C-alpha cells in the first residue's frame, strides 16, 4: 500500500483533518426489548475517536442487537446514541453514514470489484475522476488493485471480504461497524485478515465497533473489549486488563482457560490476601482482587502454573499444591495437564512445549507452583 493511497482515502472525507478520521461514539444506556425479553439492557460505552472497540460474548448475548441499534436497523427502545455529541436515534441507517461489513454481506455479484467499491461513492454522487482515485486507493489498501475487473465468483472468500472492507471504508465513514466479518474464513486466513484490518484501522484512524464471539480475535484487534452476557456488559477494558484481571468468573472463563478454586479469604490487605481452599491448603495472592472477604474463588490462568517434581520445591513465597496428573493433551505449542488436587478439583496447567520442562505422565504425582502475583480472588458463582 502506498502513502499516496492512504492519504487519498483519508483526505476525501476529512479535508484538513490531522487527527483520527473517526468520530467518538457515545452509547448511553442502549436498550432493546423483544416481547417480554430485554435482549440488550442499558448498554453504556464511550468509544473514542479512532478506537477499536469490540463486543465479545457467547451466542445470544446481545452483540448483534447492540450493533443493529447503532447501525439503525433496530429501533432503540431506551437510551441514546451520539456521534460527536449529535443524537442519531431518529436518523435512518443510510443517513448515519457508517461503513458496514458483515459475515455474509455478499458483494454485488453483477458488479465487478471496482464497481462494488465505487458503489457508495456513486450513491453519494461523487464525480467520476474522484471515484477512480478513491476506489484505486481503497483497493490498494486491501491489496486488491490487480483484481479490479474480477467478479465475486472469481474471488476467494478472503478476497471477497477484502472487497467488502474496501467498500465500507472508501467513503471514509466516521464509524465502521463489523459483525463477525471473518466468521466464514478458516483459522489461518482469519489471523492474516485480523492483521490487515488492524493495520488499515490504525493508519486511517477509523473508529470501529466490532462484534465477535472469538476471544482471540477480540484481544488481537481491540483497544478495548466489552464482555457481554445475557444482554448486559459484564466488564469493559483493554484486552490484557480484562484477561489478567477479570471481574468475575464469567469473564475469567470466557476469555480463555481459567482455574477457579472455591474457598475462604483468611486475611486481606492492600498488597495481598491469604486464601484457604475448601480442602485446607493456604494460598496467597499478590492482590485481593474484587473479593476481599468471605467466600470466593481463587483465580489463576493455566499458563502461570509450573509443574515440578515433588522433591523439587519452588522458592520461598511461591504458592504450591500437590496432586496427581490425570490427563495430558498435546496441543503443539503447549502441553495441557489436568492435575487432581487432594480436594478433588482438577487444575489445568499449560506447560510450554520445551524439552527442559518437567513433563510428568498420567498417574504421576506432581507439584504445581506459581506466583501470588498471578493470583486473584473472585466472587463465588451466582447460585
Ligand atoms: P448475539 O449477537 O450475541 O449472538 P443477538 O443480539 O443476535 O445475540 O440476540 C440476542 C437475543 O435477542 C437472542 O436471544 C435472540 O434470540 C434475540 N433476538 C434477536 N433478534 C430478535 C428479533 N428480531 N426478535 C426477537 N428476538 C430477537
Amino acid at each position: 500500500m502506498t502513502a499516496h493511497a492512504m492519504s487519498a482515502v483519508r483526505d476525501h472525507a476529512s479535508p484538513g483533518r490531522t487527527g483520527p478520521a473517526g468520530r467518538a461514539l457515545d452509547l448511553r444506556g442502549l436498550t432493546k426489548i423483544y416481547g417480554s425479553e430485554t435482549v440488550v439492557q442499558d448498554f453504556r460505552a464511550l468509544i473514542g475517536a479512532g478506537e477499536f472497540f469490540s463486543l465479545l460474548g457467547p451466542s445470544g448475548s446481545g452483540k448483534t442487537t447492540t450493533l443493529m441499534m447503532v447501525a439503525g436497523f433496530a429501533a432503540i427502545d431506551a437510551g441514546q446514541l451520539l456521534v460527536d455529541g449529535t443524537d442519531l436515534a431518529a436518523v435512518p441507517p443510510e443517513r448515519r453514514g457508517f461503513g458496514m461489513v458483515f459475515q455474509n454481506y455478499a458483494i454485488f455479484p453483477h458488479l465487478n470489484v471496482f464497481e462494488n467499491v465505487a458503489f457508495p461513492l456513486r450513491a453519494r454522487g461523487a464525480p467520476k475522476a474522484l471515484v477512480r482515485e478513491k476506489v484505486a486507493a481503497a483497493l490498494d489498501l486491501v491489496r486488491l488493485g490487480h483484481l479490479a475487473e474480477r467478479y465475486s465468483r472469481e474471488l476467494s472468500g478472503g478476497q471477497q471480504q477484502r472487497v467488502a472492507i474496501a467498500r465500507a471504508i472508501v467513503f471514509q465513514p466516521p464509524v465502521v461497524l463489523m459483525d463477525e466479518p471473518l466468521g466464514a474464513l478458516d483459522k489461518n486466513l482469519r489471523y492474516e485478515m485480523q492483521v490487515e484490518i488492524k493495520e488499515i484501522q490504525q493508519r486511517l484512524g477509523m473508529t470501529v465497533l466490532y462484534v465477535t464471539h472469538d476471544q482471540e480475535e477480540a484481544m488481537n484487534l481491540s483497544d478495548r473489549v466489552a464482555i457481554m452476557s445475557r444482554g448486559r456488559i459484564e466488564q469493559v477494558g483493554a484486552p490484557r486488563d480484562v484477561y489478567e484481571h477479570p471481574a468475575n468468573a464469567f469473564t475469567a472463563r470466557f476469555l480463555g482457560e481459567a482455574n477457579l478454586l472455591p474457598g475462604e479469604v483468611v486475611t486481606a490487605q492492600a498488597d495481598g490476601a491469604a486464601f484457604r481452599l475448601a480442602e485446607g491448603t493456604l494460598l496467597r495472592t499478590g492482590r485481593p482482587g474484587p473479593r476481599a472477604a468471605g467466600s470466593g474463588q481463587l483465580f489463576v490462568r493455566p499458563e502461570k502454573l509450573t509443574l515440578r517434581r515433588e522433591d523439587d520445591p519452588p522458592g520461598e513465597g511461591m504458592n504450591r499444591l500437590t496432586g496427581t496428573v490425570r490427563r495430558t493433551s498435546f496441543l503443539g505449542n503447549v502441553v495441557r495437564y489436568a492435575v487432581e488436587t487432594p480436594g478433588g478439583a482438577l487444575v489445568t496447567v499449560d506447560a510450554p512445549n520445551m524439552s527442559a520442562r518437567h513433563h510428568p505422565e498420567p498417574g504421576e504425582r506432581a507439584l504445581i507452583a506459581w506466583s501470588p502475583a498471578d493470583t486473584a480472588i473472585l466472587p463465588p458463582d451466582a447460585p
Side-chain angles (χ1 to χ4, degrees):
M1 144 185 15
T2 65
H4 173 72
M6 195 65 69
S7 66
V9 171
R10 193 202 297 270
D11 293 347
H12 168 48
S14 45
R17 260 183 107 94
T18 49
R23 304 287 160 79
L25 199 54
D26 189 357
L27 284 56
R28 291 194 184 167
L30 295 186
T31 298
K32 185 75 206 167
I33 299 164
Y34 285 120
S36 60
E37 204 191 344
T38 304
V39 298
V40 176
Q41 183 154 21
D42 197 31
F43 189 106
R44 288 176 189 275
L46 185 56
I47 301 168
E51 185 172 20
F52 200 116
F53 191 96
S54 292
L55 309 181
L56 174 68
S59 176
S61 57
K63 308 181 297 293
T64 294
T65 304
T66 304
L67 198 78
M68 289 299 116
M69 284 192 278
V70 175
F73 295 124
I76 296 169
D77 291 332
Q80 280 183 304
L81 169 66
L82 294 96
V83 171
D84 271 358
T86 306
D87 194 332
L88 289 193
V91 178
E94 67 281 4
R95 305 264 312 277
R96 294 189 183 187
F98 296 163
M100 286 176 225
V101 186
F102 300 122
Q103 178 173 340
N104 297 313
Y105 201 37
I107 59 174
F108 306 126
H110 61 288
L111 298 179
N112 67 17
V113 166
F114 183 97
E115 287 303 328
N116 262 280
V117 178
F119 189 84
L121 296 173
R122 296 209 199 283
R124 286 167 173 76
K128 266 189 182 160
L130 192 66
V131 171
R132 258 199 310 278
E133 184 190 353
K134 297 301 163 195
V135 173
L139 287 179
D140 200 5
L141 268 179
V142 299
R143 299 188 291 124
L144 281 184
H146 59 299
L147 299 181
E149 304 300 321
R150 293 246 182 124
Y151 287 81
S152 58
R153 62 179 179 277
E154 303 164 320
L155 298 172
S156 70
Q159 289 167 338
Q160 291 190 36
Q161 208 47 302
R162 286 200 186 100
V163 175
I165 292 168
R167 187 175 55 187
I169 63 171
V170 70
F171 59 101
Q172 190 68 18
V175 174
V176 178
L177 308 176
M178 299 192 183
D179 192 350
E180 303 271 7
L182 309 181
L185 308 179
D186 66 45
K187 195 171 187 314
N188 289 340
L189 184 55
R190 226 160 57 206
Y191 183 75
E192 265 177 50
M193 292 289 295
Q194 287 169 23
V195 174
E196 285 186 28
I197 288 176
K198 186 72 190 165
E199 194 177 291
I200 293 170
Q201 180 263 338
Q202 286 183 327
R203 292 204 183 191
L204 297 180
M206 301 187 311
T207 306
V208 174
L209 183 57
Y210 194 95
V211 163
T212 180
H213 65 276
D214 181 325
Q215 24 124 343
E216 280 183 22
E217 186 164 302
M219 288 199 276
N220 185 24
L221 284 169
S222 314
D223 296 309
R224 282 188 303 156
V225 180
I227 316 279
M228 293 187 72
S229 160
R230 292 184 283 179
R232 294 167 180 269
I233 297 179
E234 292 282 342
Q235 191 171 358
V236 180
R240 184 181 285 274
D241 279 347
V242 183
Y243 183 83
E244 304 279 9
H245 308 288
N248 54 42
F250 178 86
T251 314
R253 288 196 191 98
F254 197 76
L255 271 188
E257 290 288 323
N259 289 300
L260 292 157
L261 304 170
E264 294 280 336
V265 178
V266 181
T267 59
Q269 274 116 29
D271 60 348
F275 187 84
R276 196 183 304 282
L277 297 186
E279 87 211 24
T281 308
L282 197 66
L283 298 167
R284 303 206 157 268
T285 74
R287 51 195 151 93
R291 194 69 173 184
S295 59
Q297 311 184 65
L298 186 107
F299 158 77
V300 60
R301 296 268 179 215
E303 72 273 18
K304 311 286 190 185
L305 307 175
T306 53
L307 279 182
R308 309 175 70 95
R309 291 178 216 287
E310 269 195 296
D311 58 3
D312 175 25
E316 217 27 55
M318 297 290 275
N319 281 324
R320 58 188 79 185
L321 260 179
T322 47
T324 306
V325 175
R326 289 297 175 211
R327 245 192 341 267
T328 70
S329 315
F330 178 70
L331 303 178
N333 57 341
V334 298
V335 186
R336 177 162 295 170
Y337 294 86
V339 183
E340 189 177 345
T341 62
L346 279 181
V347 173
T348 304
V349 180
D350 280 350
N353 180 13
M354 291 159 63
S355 49
R357 291 295 179 113
H358 176 49
H359 289 290
E361 296 294 322
E364 276 185 53
R365 303 271 306 158
L367 183 59
I368 308 168
W370 74 97
S371 166
D374 293 324
T375 316
I377 300 163
L378 303 183
D381 275 337

